[in-house]
Amino acid sequence: MDRPALMAALRARIGRLERGGAAAALARAEAGTIPLADSIDATLPDGGLARAGLHEILAAEPGAATGFASLILGRANGPVLWIGPDPDAWPSGLARYGLSPANLVMVRAPRPADALWAMEEALRCPAIAGALLTLSDIDLTAARRLQLAAEAGGALGLLLRPDTEEPGPSAALTRWRVNALPGLGGTQHNLGDPRWSLDLLRCRSGQPRTWTATWRTTLDRLDTEGDTTPMPATRRRRA
């Protein structure tokens, strides 16, 4: 499908969502935050991950970061967009973290300019609960535009980026680093529930923290085992 036809199809689908999603959008706006886990929510200034804002996830391990992002989007309570140069997220796999394939719209945007445009338009749409953009690099001006779009539309925005030595400044409300940990209680063919190291590196009006977290697949619940201040990034990478 060529780009004009793709854009027309996307606009038509979003139009249908707008007509049918007014009540859900109002409920999301009243909720204000997305809950993660009790110990994490207690640390965040709003008592959860703030909606109507941009949040950044640095993928120290891509699978773990994708799982954490899916958990957040699954709790956004409505349609979400997954935007990237070649989005390879597997909907059935994301469902393990509570993200229903029925709520997921995959958007292929090979050029960064097109991806940023799609992300900004999604965040401004009141019928969209959340949007994720996979992008290696983003300048501060573009990130600020996305934050303003999220504030205007009320959607939650996620930036999923590779973890690098110098991720640069950010306009996001929070910045996380997500790494994988060995599962517990698994067998040779079943590694157990996913476990992650969650580093809250930056939080507007909050303090950095680190948690060891386990996603309880059968319970749809994120449990944490620790609550500490993270080591500096340079020390963590040398360890």
Side-chain angles (χ1 to χ4, degrees):
M1 184 181 293
D2 58 21
R3 186 172 184 274
L6 177 62
M7 292 298 102
L10 183 58
R11 289 191 187 99
R13 181 166 185 179
I14 290 175
R16 292 193 296 272
L17 294 174
E18 287 176 333
R19 291 190 293 273
L26 179 60
R28 290 194 298 269
E30 292 175 347
T33 62
I34 291 176
L36 297 177
D38 288 346
S39 63
I40 299 177
D41 297 341
T43 299
L44 297 171
D46 298 310
L49 201 64
R51 297 179 186 268
L54 185 68
H55 304 272
E56 187 175 13
I57 299 174
L58 303 180
E61 199 285 320
T66 297
F68 182 59
S70 302
L71 181 162
I72 295 170
L73 291 176
R75 296 183 174 188
N77 189 29
V80 298
L81 271 64
W82 195 292
I83 305 165
D86 190 15
D88 58 355
W90 182 40
S92 297
L94 303 185
R96 182 186 190 191
Y97 302 98
L99 178 54
S100 170
N103 283 334
L104 181 62
V105 180
M106 308 288 284
V107 179
R108 181 176 180 271
R111 299 193 312 158
D114 292 336
L116 287 167
W117 175 85
M119 182 69 167
E120 185 173 346
E121 291 297 304
L123 294 176
R124 290 187 182 278
C125 176
I128 297 300
L132 177 145
L133 173 62
T134 60
L135 199 63
S136 296
D137 297 299
I138 183 170
D139 62 53
L140 197 56
T141 299
R144 285 173 176 159
R145 287 181 61 91
L146 295 182
Q147 171 60 32
L148 291 173
E151 292 174 2
L156 176 136
L158 295 180
L159 285 176
L160 183 57
R161 301 177 54 205
D163 187 25
T164 61
E165 290 289 342
E166 296 294 337
S170 175
L173 299 181
T174 63
R175 171 180 278 173
W176 303 78
R177 178 188 294 122
V178 184
N179 207 344
L181 296 174
L184 296 176
T187 65
Q188 180 179 359
H189 301 291
N190 178 10
L191 299 180
D193 290 331
R195 296 176 69 242
W196 306 320
S197 172
L198 301 179
D199 294 336
L200 178 59
L201 301 176
R202 177 182 179 275
C203 179
R204 193 177 296 179
S205 303
Q207 296 297 320
R209 290 287 187 273
T210 292
W211 295 271
T212 295
T214 302
W215 173 246
R216 305 297 183 186
T217 305
T218 58
L219 301 176
D220 193 32
R221 189 181 73 207
L222 186 67
D223 291 341
T224 59
E225 302 169 26
D227 184 355
T228 61
T229 301
M231 294 184 299
T234 52
R235 287 179 57 195
R236 180 177 291 275
R237 289 194 175 88
R238 292 190 188 121

PDB file of all heavy atoms in Angstrom, residues 112-150:
ATOM      1  N   PRO A 112      12.486   8.772   9.884  1.00  0.00           N
ATOM      2  CA  PRO A 112      12.264   9.358  11.207  1.00  0.00           C
ATOM      3  C   PRO A 112      11.250  10.506  11.193  1.00  0.00           C
ATOM      4  O   PRO A 112      10.455  10.631  12.132  1.00  0.00           O
ATOM      5  CB  PRO A 112      13.658   9.852  11.611  1.00  0.00           C
ATOM      6  CG  PRO A 112      14.598   8.953  10.878  1.00  0.00           C
ATOM      7  CD  PRO A 112      13.925   8.671   9.560  1.00  0.00           C
ATOM      8  N   ALA A 113      11.259  11.321  10.144  1.00  0.00           N
ATOM      9  CA  ALA A 113      10.313  12.440  10.080  1.00  0.00           C
ATOM     10  C   ALA A 113       8.874  11.932  10.045  1.00  0.00           C
ATOM     11  O   ALA A 113       7.983  12.508  10.690  1.00  0.00           O
ATOM     12  CB  ALA A 113      10.607  13.299   8.847  1.00  0.00           C
ATOM     13  N   ASP A 114       8.627  10.843   9.297  1.00  0.00           N
ATOM     14  CA  ASP A 114       7.276  10.277   9.232  1.00  0.00           C
ATOM     15  C   ASP A 114       6.887   9.658  10.571  1.00  0.00           C
ATOM     16  O   ASP A 114       5.737   9.761  11.012  1.00  0.00           O
ATOM     17  CB  ASP A 114       7.198   9.210   8.139  1.00  0.00           C
ATOM     18  CG  ASP A 114       7.340   9.803   6.742  1.00  0.00           C
ATOM     19  OD1 ASP A 114       7.050  10.999   6.584  1.00  0.00           O
ATOM     20  OD2 ASP A 114       7.736   9.065   5.826  1.00  0.00           O
ATOM     21  N   ALA A 115       7.849   9.006  11.232  1.00  0.00           N
ATOM     22  CA  ALA A 115       7.562   8.381  12.523  1.00  0.00           C
ATOM     23  C   ALA A 115       7.217   9.436  13.569  1.00  0.00           C
ATOM     24  O   ALA A 115       6.269   9.274  14.349  1.00  0.00           O
ATOM     25  CB  ALA A 115       8.766   7.558  12.975  1.00  0.00           C
ATOM     26  N   LEU A 116       7.965  10.530  13.580  1.00  0.00           N
ATOM     27  CA  LEU A 116       7.690  11.604  14.532  1.00  0.00           C
ATOM     28  C   LEU A 116       6.332  12.244  14.249  1.00  0.00           C
ATOM     29  O   LEU A 116       5.583  12.575  15.175  1.00  0.00           O
ATOM     30  CB  LEU A 116       8.799  12.655  14.471  1.00  0.00           C
ATOM     31  CG  LEU A 116      10.129  12.237  15.097  1.00  0.00           C
ATOM     32  CD1 LEU A 116      11.232  13.213  14.707  1.00  0.00           C
ATOM     33  CD2 LEU A 116      10.010  12.156  16.621  1.00  0.00           C
ATOM     34  N   TRP A 117       6.012  12.411  12.965  1.00  0.00           N
ATOM     35  CA  TRP A 117       4.702  12.988  12.605  1.00  0.00           C
ATOM     36  C   TRP A 117       3.576  12.071  13.072  1.00  0.00           C
ATOM     37  O   TRP A 117       2.589  12.541  13.664  1.00  0.00           O
ATOM     38  CB  TRP A 117       4.624  13.177  11.094  1.00  0.00           C
ATOM     39  CG  TRP A 117       3.275  13.639  10.636  1.00  0.00           C
ATOM     40  CD1 TRP A 117       2.817  14.916  10.577  1.00  0.00           C
ATOM     41  CD2 TRP A 117       2.192  12.807  10.174  1.00  0.00           C
ATOM     42  NE1 TRP A 117       1.519  14.937  10.117  1.00  0.00           N
ATOM     43  CE2 TRP A 117       1.119  13.667   9.866  1.00  0.00           C
ATOM     44  CE3 TRP A 117       2.040  11.433   9.989  1.00  0.00           C
ATOM     45  CZ2 TRP A 117      -0.104  13.183   9.380  1.00  0.00           C
ATOM     46  CZ3 TRP A 117       0.831  10.956   9.525  1.00  0.00           C
ATOM     47  CH2 TRP A 117      -0.224  11.824   9.220  1.00  0.00           C
ATOM     48  N   ALA A 118       3.707  10.762  12.822  1.00  0.00           N
ATOM     49  CA  ALA A 118       2.670   9.819  13.234  1.00  0.00           C
ATOM     50  C   ALA A 118       2.522   9.811  14.754  1.00  0.00           C
ATOM     51  O   ALA A 118       1.397   9.753  15.281  1.00  0.00           O
ATOM     52  CB  ALA A 118       3.001   8.421  12.722  1.00  0.00           C
ATOM     53  N   MET A 119       3.637   9.872  15.472  1.00  0.00           N
ATOM     54  CA  MET A 119       3.591   9.881  16.934  1.00  0.00           C
ATOM     55  C   MET A 119       2.898  11.138  17.446  1.00  0.00           C
ATOM     56  O   MET A 119       2.037  11.074  18.340  1.00  0.00           O
ATOM     57  CB  MET A 119       5.016   9.787  17.481  1.00  0.00           C
ATOM     58  CG  MET A 119       5.114   9.731  18.987  1.00  0.00           C
ATOM     59  SD  MET A 119       4.484   8.175  19.662  1.00  0.00           S
ATOM     60  CE  MET A 119       5.105   8.274  21.351  1.00  0.00           C
ATOM     61  N   GLU A 120       3.242  12.264  16.886  1.00  0.00           N
ATOM     62  CA  GLU A 120       2.632  13.522  17.342  1.00  0.00           C
ATOM     63  C   GLU A 120       1.136  13.546  17.073  1.00  0.00           C
ATOM     64  O   GLU A 120       0.336  13.954  17.928  1.00  0.00           O
ATOM     65  CB  GLU A 120       3.325  14.708  16.654  1.00  0.00           C
ATOM     66  CG  GLU A 120       2.839  16.057  17.160  1.00  0.00           C
ATOM     67  CD  GLU A 120       3.637  17.223  16.604  1.00  0.00           C
ATOM     68  OE1 GLU A 120       4.730  16.992  16.033  1.00  0.00           O
ATOM     69  OE2 GLU A 120       3.168  18.369  16.725  1.00  0.00           O
ATOM     70  N   GLU A 121       0.737  13.085  15.889  1.00  0.00           N
ATOM     71  CA  GLU A 121      -0.690  13.053  15.558  1.00  0.00           C
ATOM     72  C   GLU A 121      -1.444  12.094  16.480  1.00  0.00           C
ATOM     73  O   GLU A 121      -2.566  12.378  16.919  1.00  0.00           O
ATOM     74  CB  GLU A 121      -0.884  12.638  14.101  1.00  0.00           C
ATOM     75  CG  GLU A 121      -0.422  13.671  13.087  1.00  0.00           C
ATOM     76  CD  GLU A 121      -1.222  14.960  13.197  1.00  0.00           C
ATOM     77  OE1 GLU A 121      -2.467  14.905  13.089  1.00  0.00           O
ATOM     78  OE2 GLU A 121      -0.601  16.026  13.399  1.00  0.00           O
ATOM     79  N   ALA A 122      -0.836  10.964  16.781  1.00  0.00           N
ATOM     80  CA  ALA A 122      -1.484   9.991  17.668  1.00  0.00           C
ATOM     81  C   ALA A 122      -1.683  10.568  19.064  1.00  0.00           C
ATOM     82  O   ALA A 122      -2.745  10.415  19.680  1.00  0.00           O
ATOM     83  CB  ALA A 122      -0.661   8.711  17.729  1.00  0.00           C
ATOM     84  N   LEU A 123      -0.648  11.243  19.587  1.00  0.00           N
ATOM     85  CA  LEU A 123      -0.737  11.782  20.940  1.00  0.00           C
ATOM     86  C   LEU A 123      -1.767  12.900  21.040  1.00  0.00           C
ATOM     87  O   LEU A 123      -2.338  13.129  22.115  1.00  0.00           O
ATOM     88  CB  LEU A 123       0.638  12.288  21.392  1.00  0.00           C
ATOM     89  CG  LEU A 123       1.717  11.215  21.577  1.00  0.00           C
ATOM     90  CD1 LEU A 123       3.047  11.855  21.934  1.00  0.00           C
ATOM     91  CD2 LEU A 123       1.308  10.207  22.634  1.00  0.00           C
ATOM     92  N   ARG A 124      -2.009  13.589  19.958  1.00  0.00           N
ATOM     93  CA  ARG A 124      -2.998  14.678  19.964  1.00  0.00           C
ATOM     94  C   ARG A 124      -4.434  14.166  19.819  1.00  0.00           C
ATOM     95  O   ARG A 124      -5.383  14.923  20.033  1.00  0.00           O
ATOM     96  CB  ARG A 124      -2.706  15.670  18.842  1.00  0.00           C
ATOM     97  CG  ARG A 124      -1.454  16.497  19.057  1.00  0.00           C
ATOM     98  CD  ARG A 124      -1.300  17.575  17.995  1.00  0.00           C
ATOM     99  NE  ARG A 124      -0.070  18.322  18.190  1.00  0.00           N
ATOM    100  CZ  ARG A 124       0.068  19.334  19.051  1.00  0.00           C
ATOM    101  NH1 ARG A 124      -0.976  19.708  19.780  1.00  0.00           N
ATOM    102  NH2 ARG A 124       1.219  19.952  19.181  1.00  0.00           N
ATOM    103  N   CYS A 125      -4.593  12.905  19.446  1.00  0.00           N
ATOM    104  CA  CYS A 125      -5.930  12.364  19.190  1.00  0.00           C
ATOM    105  C   CYS A 125      -6.568  11.906  20.504  1.00  0.00           C
ATOM    106  O   CYS A 125      -6.025  11.025  21.179  1.00  0.00           O
ATOM    107  CB  CYS A 125      -5.836  11.198  18.214  1.00  0.00           C
ATOM    108  SG  CYS A 125      -7.421  10.388  17.915  1.00  0.00           S
ATOM    109  N   PRO A 126      -7.715  12.444  20.889  1.00  0.00           N
ATOM    110  CA  PRO A 126      -8.330  12.074  22.171  1.00  0.00           C
ATOM    111  C   PRO A 126      -8.810  10.631  22.225  1.00  0.00           C
ATOM    112  O   PRO A 126      -9.054  10.106  23.310  1.00  0.00           O
ATOM    113  CB  PRO A 126      -9.496  13.058  22.305  1.00  0.00           C
ATOM    114  CG  PRO A 126      -9.794  13.489  20.911  1.00  0.00           C
ATOM    115  CD  PRO A 126      -8.486  13.493  20.187  1.00  0.00           C
ATOM    116  N   ALA A 127      -8.978   9.975  21.069  1.00  0.00           N
ATOM    117  CA  ALA A 127      -9.440   8.584  21.060  1.00  0.00           C
ATOM    118  C   ALA A 127      -8.313   7.592  21.281  1.00  0.00           C
ATOM    119  O   ALA A 127      -8.567   6.408  21.495  1.00  0.00           O
ATOM    120  CB  ALA A 127     -10.140   8.269  19.746  1.00  0.00           C
ATOM    121  N   ILE A 128      -7.064   8.048  21.233  1.00  0.00           N
ATOM    122  CA  ILE A 128      -5.910   7.180  21.402  1.00  0.00           C
ATOM    123  C   ILE A 128      -5.483   7.184  22.861  1.00  0.00           C
ATOM    124  O   ILE A 128      -5.285   8.244  23.463  1.00  0.00           O
ATOM    125  CB  ILE A 128      -4.749   7.637  20.504  1.00  0.00           C
ATOM    126  CG1 ILE A 128      -5.142   7.537  19.033  1.00  0.00           C
ATOM    127  CG2 ILE A 128      -3.497   6.805  20.777  1.00  0.00           C
ATOM    128  CD1 ILE A 128      -5.506   6.156  18.574  1.00  0.00           C
ATOM    129  N   ALA A 129      -5.362   5.994  23.448  1.00  0.00           N
ATOM    130  CA  ALA A 129      -4.957   5.899  24.854  1.00  0.00           C
ATOM    131  C   ALA A 129      -3.452   6.060  25.021  1.00  0.00           C
ATOM    132  O   ALA A 129      -2.985   6.596  26.030  1.00  0.00           O
ATOM    133  CB  ALA A 129      -5.405   4.560  25.433  1.00  0.00           C
ATOM    134  N   GLY A 130      -2.682   5.584  24.049  1.00  0.00           N
ATOM    135  CA  GLY A 130      -1.238   5.662  24.155  1.00  0.00           C
ATOM    136  C   GLY A 130      -0.582   5.379  22.824  1.00  0.00           C
ATOM    137  O   GLY A 130      -1.189   4.832  21.904  1.00  0.00           O
ATOM    138  N   ALA A 131       0.682   5.759  22.722  1.00  0.00           N
ATOM    139  CA  ALA A 131       1.450   5.515  21.499  1.00  0.00           C
ATOM    140  C   ALA A 131       2.901   5.292  21.869  1.00  0.00           C
ATOM    141  O   ALA A 131       3.431   5.956  22.773  1.00  0.00           O
ATOM    142  CB  ALA A 131       1.316   6.683  20.527  1.00  0.00           C
ATOM    143  N   LEU A 132       3.526   4.351  21.179  1.00  0.00           N
ATOM    144  CA  LEU A 132       4.936   4.044  21.385  1.00  0.00           C
ATOM    145  C   LEU A 132       5.696   4.305  20.096  1.00  0.00           C
ATOM    146  O   LEU A 132       5.243   3.942  19.006  1.00  0.00           O
ATOM    147  CB  LEU A 132       5.111   2.590  21.819  1.00  0.00           C
ATOM    148  CG  LEU A 132       6.546   2.093  22.005  1.00  0.00           C
ATOM    149  CD1 LEU A 132       6.618   1.099  23.166  1.00  0.00           C
ATOM    150  CD2 LEU A 132       7.108   1.438  20.738  1.00  0.00           C
ATOM    151  N   LEU A 133       6.848   4.935  20.225  1.00  0.00           N
ATOM    152  CA  LEU A 133       7.709   5.219  19.081  1.00  0.00           C
ATOM    153  C   LEU A 133       9.075   4.598  19.333  1.00  0.00           C
ATOM    154  O   LEU A 133       9.717   4.877  20.343  1.00  0.00           O
ATOM    155  CB  LEU A 133       7.857   6.733  18.893  1.00  0.00           C
ATOM    156  CG  LEU A 133       8.865   7.200  17.839  1.00  0.00           C
ATOM    157  CD1 LEU A 133       8.479   6.715  16.449  1.00  0.00           C
ATOM    158  CD2 LEU A 133       8.995   8.726  17.861  1.00  0.00           C
ATOM    159  N   THR A 134       9.519   3.713  18.430  1.00  0.00           N
ATOM    160  CA  THR A 134      10.869   3.171  18.493  1.00  0.00           C
ATOM    161  C   THR A 134      11.758   4.023  17.600  1.00  0.00           C
ATOM    162  O   THR A 134      11.515   4.133  16.400  1.00  0.00           O
ATOM    163  CB  THR A 134      10.907   1.698  18.044  1.00  0.00           C
ATOM    164  OG1 THR A 134      10.433   1.592  16.696  1.00  0.00           O
ATOM    165  CG2 THR A 134      10.032   0.845  18.945  1.00  0.00           C
ATOM    166  N   LEU A 135      12.762   4.621  18.206  1.00  0.00           N
ATOM    167  CA  LEU A 135      13.624   5.544  17.483  1.00  0.00           C
ATOM    168  C   LEU A 135      14.978   5.556  18.160  1.00  0.00           C
ATOM    169  O   LEU A 135      15.066   5.615  19.399  1.00  0.00           O
ATOM    170  CB  LEU A 135      13.006   6.949  17.497  1.00  0.00           C
ATOM    171  CG  LEU A 135      13.485   7.960  16.466  1.00  0.00           C
ATOM    172  CD1 LEU A 135      13.146   7.483  15.051  1.00  0.00           C
ATOM    173  CD2 LEU A 135      12.850   9.320  16.720  1.00  0.00           C
ATOM    174  N   SER A 136      16.056   5.500  17.364  1.00  0.00           N
ATOM    175  CA  SER A 136      17.394   5.455  17.947  1.00  0.00           C
ATOM    176  C   SER A 136      17.777   6.779  18.584  1.00  0.00           C
ATOM    177  O   SER A 136      18.302   6.833  19.695  1.00  0.00           O
ATOM    178  CB  SER A 136      18.423   5.061  16.880  1.00  0.00           C
ATOM    179  OG  SER A 136      18.190   3.762  16.408  1.00  0.00           O
ATOM    180  N   ASP A 137      17.508   7.873  17.870  1.00  0.00           N
ATOM    181  CA  ASP A 137      17.896   9.199  18.346  1.00  0.00           C
ATOM    182  C   ASP A 137      16.746  10.170  18.151  1.00  0.00           C
ATOM    183  O   ASP A 137      15.988  10.078  17.177  1.00  0.00           O
ATOM    184  CB  ASP A 137      19.127   9.717  17.587  1.00  0.00           C
ATOM    185  CG  ASP A 137      20.352   8.849  17.819  1.00  0.00           C
ATOM    186  OD1 ASP A 137      20.775   8.741  18.987  1.00  0.00           O
ATOM    187  OD2 ASP A 137      20.874   8.284  16.849  1.00  0.00           O
ATOM    188  N   ILE A 138      16.635  11.119  19.085  1.00  0.00           N
ATOM    189  CA  ILE A 138      15.630  12.157  18.981  1.00  0.00           C
ATOM    190  C   ILE A 138      16.201  13.421  19.610  1.00  0.00           C
ATOM    191  O   ILE A 138      16.795  13.366  20.695  1.00  0.00           O
ATOM    192  CB  ILE A 138      14.308  11.744  19.653  1.00  0.00           C
ATOM    193  CG1 ILE A 138      13.237  12.819  19.485  1.00  0.00           C
ATOM    194  CG2 ILE A 138      14.514  11.396  21.118  1.00  0.00           C
ATOM    195  CD1 ILE A 138      11.859  12.386  19.907  1.00  0.00           C
ATOM    196  N   ASP A 139      16.052  14.542  18.920  1.00  0.00           N
ATOM    197  CA  ASP A 139      16.588  15.779  19.486  1.00  0.00           C
ATOM    198  C   ASP A 139      15.606  16.365  20.489  1.00  0.00           C
ATOM    199  O   ASP A 139      14.429  15.992  20.553  1.00  0.00           O
ATOM    200  CB  ASP A 139      16.948  16.788  18.396  1.00  0.00           C
ATOM    201  CG  ASP A 139      15.756  17.222  17.566  1.00  0.00           C
ATOM    202  OD1 ASP A 139      14.738  17.651  18.156  1.00  0.00           O
ATOM    203  OD2 ASP A 139      15.833  17.157  16.326  1.00  0.00           O
ATOM    204  N   LEU A 140      16.096  17.308  21.275  1.00  0.00           N
ATOM    205  CA  LEU A 140      15.308  17.849  22.369  1.00  0.00           C
ATOM    206  C   LEU A 140      14.076  18.593  21.868  1.00  0.00           C
ATOM    207  O   LEU A 140      13.007  18.524  22.484  1.00  0.00           O
ATOM    208  CB  LEU A 140      16.180  18.775  23.220  1.00  0.00           C
ATOM    209  CG  LEU A 140      15.663  19.131  24.612  1.00  0.00           C
ATOM    210  CD1 LEU A 140      15.380  17.892  25.430  1.00  0.00           C
ATOM    211  CD2 LEU A 140      16.669  20.032  25.329  1.00  0.00           C
ATOM    212  N   THR A 141      14.198  19.273  20.728  1.00  0.00           N
ATOM    213  CA  THR A 141      13.053  19.999  20.185  1.00  0.00           C
ATOM    214  C   THR A 141      11.927  19.056  19.800  1.00  0.00           C
ATOM    215  O   THR A 141      10.760  19.289  20.116  1.00  0.00           O
ATOM    216  CB  THR A 141      13.476  20.818  18.956  1.00  0.00           C
ATOM    217  OG1 THR A 141      14.477  21.775  19.350  1.00  0.00           O
ATOM    218  CG2 THR A 141      12.286  21.560  18.357  1.00  0.00           C
ATOM    219  N   ALA A 142      12.269  17.946  19.125  1.00  0.00           N
ATOM    220  CA  ALA A 142      11.248  16.970  18.735  1.00  0.00           C
ATOM    221  C   ALA A 142      10.616  16.327  19.955  1.00  0.00           C
ATOM    222  O   ALA A 142       9.392  16.099  19.993  1.00  0.00           O
ATOM    223  CB  ALA A 142      11.864  15.909  17.832  1.00  0.00           C
ATOM    224  N   ALA A 143      11.413  16.023  20.971  1.00  0.00           N
ATOM    225  CA  ALA A 143      10.870  15.426  22.188  1.00  0.00           C
ATOM    226  C   ALA A 143       9.919  16.383  22.891  1.00  0.00           C
ATOM    227  O   ALA A 143       8.868  15.970  23.417  1.00  0.00           O
ATOM    228  CB  ALA A 143      12.001  15.020  23.125  1.00  0.00           C
ATOM    229  N   ARG A 144      10.248  17.659  22.889  1.00  0.00           N
ATOM    230  CA  ARG A 144       9.357  18.652  23.506  1.00  0.00           C
ATOM    231  C   ARG A 144       8.037  18.742  22.755  1.00  0.00           C
ATOM    232  O   ARG A 144       6.979  18.916  23.355  1.00  0.00           O
ATOM    233  CB  ARG A 144      10.051  20.008  23.556  1.00  0.00           C
ATOM    234  CG  ARG A 144      11.118  20.109  24.642  1.00  0.00           C
ATOM    235  CD  ARG A 144      11.899  21.395  24.539  1.00  0.00           C
ATOM    236  NE  ARG A 144      12.862  21.533  25.637  1.00  0.00           N
ATOM    237  CZ  ARG A 144      13.929  22.311  25.597  1.00  0.00           C
ATOM    238  NH1 ARG A 144      14.180  23.027  24.493  1.00  0.00           N
ATOM    239  NH2 ARG A 144      14.743  22.391  26.631  1.00  0.00           N
ATOM    240  N   ARG A 145       8.094  18.638  21.438  1.00  0.00           N
ATOM    241  CA  ARG A 145       6.858  18.650  20.646  1.00  0.00           C
ATOM    242  C   ARG A 145       5.963  17.466  21.018  1.00  0.00           C
ATOM    243  O   ARG A 145       4.734  17.604  21.115  1.00  0.00           O
ATOM    244  CB  ARG A 145       7.171  18.630  19.152  1.00  0.00           C
ATOM    245  CG  ARG A 145       7.711  19.924  18.593  1.00  0.00           C
ATOM    246  CD  ARG A 145       7.968  19.798  17.095  1.00  0.00           C
ATOM    247  NE  ARG A 145       6.742  19.490  16.378  1.00  0.00           N
ATOM    248  CZ  ARG A 145       5.922  20.413  15.872  1.00  0.00           C
ATOM    249  NH1 ARG A 145       6.197  21.700  16.015  1.00  0.00           N
ATOM    250  NH2 ARG A 145       4.830  20.057  15.219  1.00  0.00           N
ATOM    251  N   LEU A 146       6.578  16.312  21.227  1.00  0.00           N
ATOM    252  CA  LEU A 146       5.798  15.137  21.607  1.00  0.00           C
ATOM    253  C   LEU A 146       5.202  15.303  23.004  1.00  0.00           C
ATOM    254  O   LEU A 146       4.055  14.906  23.244  1.00  0.00           O
ATOM    255  CB  LEU A 146       6.671  13.885  21.550  1.00  0.00           C
ATOM    256  CG  LEU A 146       7.192  13.479  20.169  1.00  0.00           C
ATOM    257  CD1 LEU A 146       8.011  12.194  20.270  1.00  0.00           C
ATOM    258  CD2 LEU A 146       6.056  13.311  19.167  1.00  0.00           C
ATOM    259  N   GLN A 147       5.959  15.892  23.916  1.00  0.00           N
ATOM    260  CA  GLN A 147       5.426  16.134  25.255  1.00  0.00           C
ATOM    261  C   GLN A 147       4.229  17.088  25.191  1.00  0.00           C
ATOM    262  O   GLN A 147       3.202  16.856  25.841  1.00  0.00           O
ATOM    263  CB  GLN A 147       6.523  16.698  26.158  1.00  0.00           C
ATOM    264  CG  GLN A 147       6.040  17.187  27.523  1.00  0.00           C
ATOM    265  CD  GLN A 147       5.385  16.109  28.358  1.00  0.00           C
ATOM    266  OE1 GLN A 147       5.741  14.939  28.275  1.00  0.00           O
ATOM    267  NE2 GLN A 147       4.407  16.495  29.180  1.00  0.00           N
ATOM    268  N   LEU A 148       4.323  18.136  24.406  1.00  0.00           N
ATOM    269  CA  LEU A 148       3.222  19.084  24.267  1.00  0.00           C
ATOM    270  C   LEU A 148       2.012  18.422  23.612  1.00  0.00           C
ATOM    271  O   LEU A 148       0.866  18.698  23.988  1.00  0.00           O
ATOM    272  CB  LEU A 148       3.671  20.300  23.456  1.00  0.00           C
ATOM    273  CG  LEU A 148       4.699  21.220  24.136  1.00  0.00           C
ATOM    274  CD1 LEU A 148       5.175  22.290  23.165  1.00  0.00           C
ATOM    275  CD2 LEU A 148       4.106  21.863  25.385  1.00  0.00           C
ATOM    276  N   ALA A 149       2.263  17.544  22.628  1.00  0.00           N
ATOM    277  CA  ALA A 149       1.162  16.837  21.974  1.00  0.00           C
ATOM    278  C   ALA A 149       0.448  15.930  22.961  1.00  0.00           C
ATOM    279  O   ALA A 149      -0.786  15.833  22.964  1.00  0.00           O
ATOM    280  CB  ALA A 149       1.692  16.029  20.787  1.00  0.00           C
ATOM    281  N   ALA A 150       1.210  15.244  23.822  1.00  0.00           N
ATOM    282  CA  ALA A 150       0.597  14.374  24.829  1.00  0.00           C
ATOM    283  C   ALA A 150      -0.239  15.191  25.808  1.00  0.00           C
ATOM    284  O   ALA A 150      -1.341  14.773  26.204  1.00  0.00           O
ATOM    285  CB  ALA A 150       1.677  13.586  25.567  1.00  0.00           C
TER     286      ALA A 150
END
